[in-house]
Amino acid sequence: MERLIVVSAILPVHLQKEGREYTVKVSPGGLVTALKQALHHRKAIWVGWAGITGSISRKLKERILEEGKKEGFLLYPVSLTEEERENFFDGFSNGIIWPLFHTFQAYARFEPPYWKAYRQVNKKFAHLIKKISSPEDLIWVHDYHFFILPEYLDKLGLKNRRAFFLHIPFPNPELFFKIPWRIDMLKGLLKYDLIGFHTYIDRKNFLQCITEIAEDVDPDSTEPVVTIRFENRQVKVGVFPISIDFEYYDSFARDVRPPDKKTKIILGVDRLDYTKGLIHKLKAFRYFLEKYPQYRCKVRLVQAVAPNIKKLPEYDSLKVEFEHLVSEINGKFGTDRWTPVQYIASRIPFEKLVSYYRYSDVCWVNSIKDGMNLVGKEYAASNVDENGVLLLSEFAGAATELNNFSLLINPYDIEGTAVSIYRSLTMPAKERKSKMRQMRNHIKRFDIRWWTNTFLETAFGKKIEDFPPLEDDIPLHEILQFP
Ligand code: GDG
């Protein structure tokens, strides 16, 4: 029986050391949200890093497995050394690819040891896959940490069918070709059978980068899936905009208790990341309060900022600058009864998140660059009364799908954004309802099941339902032999 092996840099849960104890935490981010919903209770074997460095004891492996079992996955924790964390995870992946692919070129540090570590960890994952896989298993690899994994699968003689999905944007050739190891990265990627992107723009950028090394490449194709040739093999390259479990948010939202609504609420939900446009957002909100004083005491920005697992100096300085600006705005405009920016510095529980989604007047996604952005889709799915307005950055992948149902903003345009906030708060109820209803219908139709099955069918001719649910009697002893 074919099994589905899923590979991502980080598992859906990870370990965190607190004093001498380890706690199991839900991993942050959209990849985990989406994949958990996509694979829910199917027999997926999920291979990824468990968040700590050094070896993982049998006891901790068991705890991770137990957590996974609750969601219906077999989780295979991979340990990284401190050096691999520094050079592969924080280094090549999050210190070169992440900033460059999000147009933050100045943040990219092209340190030679990073590339060596990237190769080493891709090789390590290939060895682990070899240990746990049978030849008929199907391998689904996620994200920018694993561009060159298939090269090592090939070297180890693994012939399994393998597909790749990129959760972040793909840059244009001018940016991409800055990377000294660009050709190796492209050639590695082209050893997958299917390469998936969120949008046509990302795919076009990628196709433009490979015109010299592959054949039958048409960057302007409007077909959702195209086939190109590389080293006498056919490679499919497709567009699959990721989504969410609409029904789940919709039904959960119907029973949540409302948050305190003494004022109108503009909601922001982001990971602490420079790509999310948090500083631009505060500047635009400050400008809005100056330009439209009639809204003082009448509206507040509730901004949740979930901590990041990446340990980089850019995130520390972002946090300092963000908190400084929050204090400045609250100090300048706030009164003893009204705090303009309600900053939530930790991960909010799901129930509270959905309550905010349902009852906020506006949801504000201000990304400088974003592969998709699930927050806007979660907001619409939870906004069951159809009263809300989505203020959406035109640089988020979601804008290519939701542009007709939201107010698009350019996060660099502080003044224009302030005007859009005003428009969102004054939009007539009929228009709000009409936009929200259409948006909800779109997301309901193109939900996470649509995404998963379209991808799996294109890659392997399978649907998620074709994989059996996890049995209760996982052979723990087999798994725990795993290094
Ligand atoms: C990458 C790409 C792409 C956030 N704060 C809290 C919380 N969250 C959840 C949201 C949402 C997820 O985290 C964030 O997802 P995004 O899609 O916005 O962003 P990334 O983490 O950057 O994800 C992105 C995604 O992969 C999928 O392909 O869309 O473009 O960058 O689900 O709800 N959840 C809870 N409390 C919080 O405080 N419970």
Side-chain angles (χ1 to χ4, degrees):
M1 183 84 196
E2 293 148 333
R3 300 173 307 168
L4 185 61
I5 298 183
V6 171
V7 181
S8 71
I10 190 100
L11 288 176
V13 289
H14 66 279
L15 294 164
Q16 219 173 58
K17 199 168 183 189
E18 285 169 3
R20 298 173 109 214
E21 294 298 308
Y22 287 95
T23 46
V24 180
K25 301 256 179 194
V26 177
S27 303
L31 180 150
V32 164
T33 304
L35 286 190
K36 272 167 75 174
Q37 293 169 15
L39 306 170
H40 200 61
H41 290 294
R42 289 291 145 183
K43 194 176 178 176
I45 302 170
W46 193 334
V47 184
W49 181 42
I52 54 166
T53 53
S55 61
I56 309 170
S57 68
R58 185 190 167 98
K59 216 169 123 203
L60 287 175
K61 278 183 189 166
E62 268 174 4
R63 277 178 65 189
I64 292 174
L65 273 167
E66 286 310 315
E67 284 299 317
K69 257 168 78 177
K70 288 184 203 157
E71 304 271 354
F73 312 120
L74 274 181
L75 299 184
Y76 277 82
V78 178
S79 61
L80 293 185
T81 63
E82 191 50 43
E83 200 186 339
E84 285 167 346
R85 180 207 172 101
E86 216 178 293
N87 293 333
F88 158 77
F89 191 73
D90 288 341
F92 201 86
S93 306
N94 292 313
I96 296 180
I97 305 183
W98 178 270
L100 198 82
F101 281 36
H102 286 91
T103 68
F104 283 80
Q105 189 198 323
Y107 286 6
R109 296 181 303 269
F110 298 101
E111 302 292 344
Y114 291 178
W115 174 240
K116 196 170 157 228
Y118 191 74
R119 296 184 70 86
Q120 186 179 311
V121 174
N122 273 262
K123 189 172 167 188
K124 182 174 190 169
F125 270 76
H127 276 280
L128 296 174
I129 291 168
K130 184 177 165 118
K131 276 209 166 110
I132 58 165
S133 62
S134 323
E136 65 277 9
D137 289 341
L138 306 170
I139 303 175
W140 189 4
V141 181
H142 292 266
D143 237 1
Y144 55 102
H145 312 81
F146 299 112
F147 274 25
I148 55 174
L149 180 64
E151 188 187 318
Y152 296 104
L153 296 176
D154 282 351
K155 280 189 182 145
L156 293 173
L158 294 183
K159 304 233 178 320
N160 304 60
R161 281 188 286 161
R162 70 288 289 257
F164 174 88
F165 186 78
L166 184 69
H167 290 258
I168 64 170
F170 197 93
N172 63 32
E174 199 186 338
L175 266 179
F176 182 79
F177 284 140
K178 307 247 183 289
I179 303 178
W181 309 277
R182 59 206 184 175
I183 297 300
D184 289 331
M185 287 170 73
L186 292 175
K187 286 187 171 170
L189 203 46
L190 285 165
K191 291 190 167 67
Y192 285 104
D193 300 311
L194 168 65
I195 305 164
F197 299 95
H198 285 304
T199 69
Y200 282 89
I201 304 165
D202 299 319
R203 186 182 64 180
K204 180 175 180 169
N205 287 343
F206 170 70
L207 292 176
Q208 282 177 337
C209 288
I210 59 164
T211 45
E212 300 282 309
I213 55 173
E215 292 159 62
D216 300 340
V217 180
D218 173 12
D220 292 316
S221 171
T222 50
E223 292 295 320
V225 179
V226 297
T227 304
I228 58 159
R229 294 190 66 78
F230 175 68
E231 293 180 345
N232 290 325
R233 284 175 54 248
Q234 290 197 329
V235 182
K236 288 183 194 166
V237 188
V239 178
F240 308 91
I242 206 164
S243 195
I244 53 150
D245 187 339
F246 178 91
E247 300 290 348
Y248 185 66
Y249 286 89
D250 177 85
S251 67
F252 198 95
R254 290 178 195 274
D255 292 327
V256 289
R257 279 189 298 157
D260 149 36
K261 275 226 68 177
K262 282 189 208 107
T263 67
K264 282 183 181 276
I265 296 177
I266 301 175
L267 176 70
V269 179
D270 299 279
R271 261 186 321 98
L272 179 72
D273 201 298
Y274 49 80
T275 60
K276 303 294 180 185
L278 289 161
I279 301 298
H280 296 72
K281 185 185 270 189
L282 288 182
K283 288 183 177 166
F285 189 62
R286 180 176 62 188
Y287 193 89
F288 166 78
L289 292 175
E290 269 158 14
K291 192 172 159 86
Y292 302 98
Q294 67 272 32
Y295 276 96
R296 294 182 195 168
C297 301
K298 302 253 169 45
V299 64
R300 70 184 195 273
L301 171 64
V302 175
Q303 179 63 54
V305 183
N308 210 322
I309 207 163
K310 308 169 193 172
K311 283 191 182 144
L312 293 168
E314 289 83 10
Y315 295 108
D316 297 336
S317 49
L318 171 65
K319 192 166 162 54
V320 171
E321 191 181 353
F322 181 81
E323 290 177 354
H324 185 82
L325 258 175
V326 170
S327 311
E328 189 200 302
I329 295 169
N330 286 344
K332 183 169 179 191
F333 299 99
T335 66
D336 50 358
R337 295 210 179 153
W338 173 62
T339 307
V341 183
Q342 184 186 330
Y343 163 44
I344 306 172
S346 55
R347 187 182 167 82
I348 46 178
F350 186 72
E351 189 168 352
K352 201 164 172 196
L353 176 71
V354 177
S355 161
Y356 275 124
Y357 280 151
R358 174 167 175 187
Y359 291 104
S360 294
D361 301 275
V362 177
C363 178
W364 183 0
V365 174
N366 206 48
S367 311
I368 299 294
K369 189 78 186 158
D370 219 328
M372 172 55 64
N373 195 288
L374 297 176
V375 170
K377 292 188 174 185
E378 292 169 2
Y379 174 62
S382 313
N383 203 261
V384 291
D385 312 297
E386 301 177 337
N387 286 327
V389 178
L390 177 62
L391 210 51
L392 178 61
S393 163
E394 58 185 281
F395 307 126
T400 60
E401 271 183 276
L402 307 180
N403 56 338
N404 288 330
F405 323 125
S406 51
L407 287 186
L408 288 194
I409 46 171
N410 171 355
Y412 294 103
D413 181 0
I414 304 290
E415 193 177 356
T417 303
V419 173
S420 295
I421 299 173
Y422 176 78
R423 280 189 58 212
S424 67
L425 291 169
T426 51
M427 187 184 284
K430 205 170 154 202
E431 191 182 343
R432 269 187 278 140
K433 203 167 225 41
S434 158
K435 281 187 188 295
M436 186 51 82
R437 183 164 295 172
Q438 291 178 68
M439 178 149 59
R440 284 168 53 77
N441 284 340
H442 175 91
I443 299 166
K444 189 174 178 176
R445 181 162 169 222
F446 299 103
D447 67 353
I448 190 71
R449 225 155 282 125
W450 172 87
W451 178 80
T452 314
N453 284 340
T454 311
F455 188 92
L456 289 177
E457 290 226 32
T458 312
F460 310 125
K462 295 247 167 217
K463 286 198 161 91
I464 191 71
E465 292 78 18
D466 297 333
F467 298 95
L470 197 66
E471 316 99 9
D472 279 338
D473 56 336
I474 305 174
L476 268 187
H477 61 281
E478 271 178 32
I479 293 159
L480 293 172
Q481 283 173 7
F482 189 67

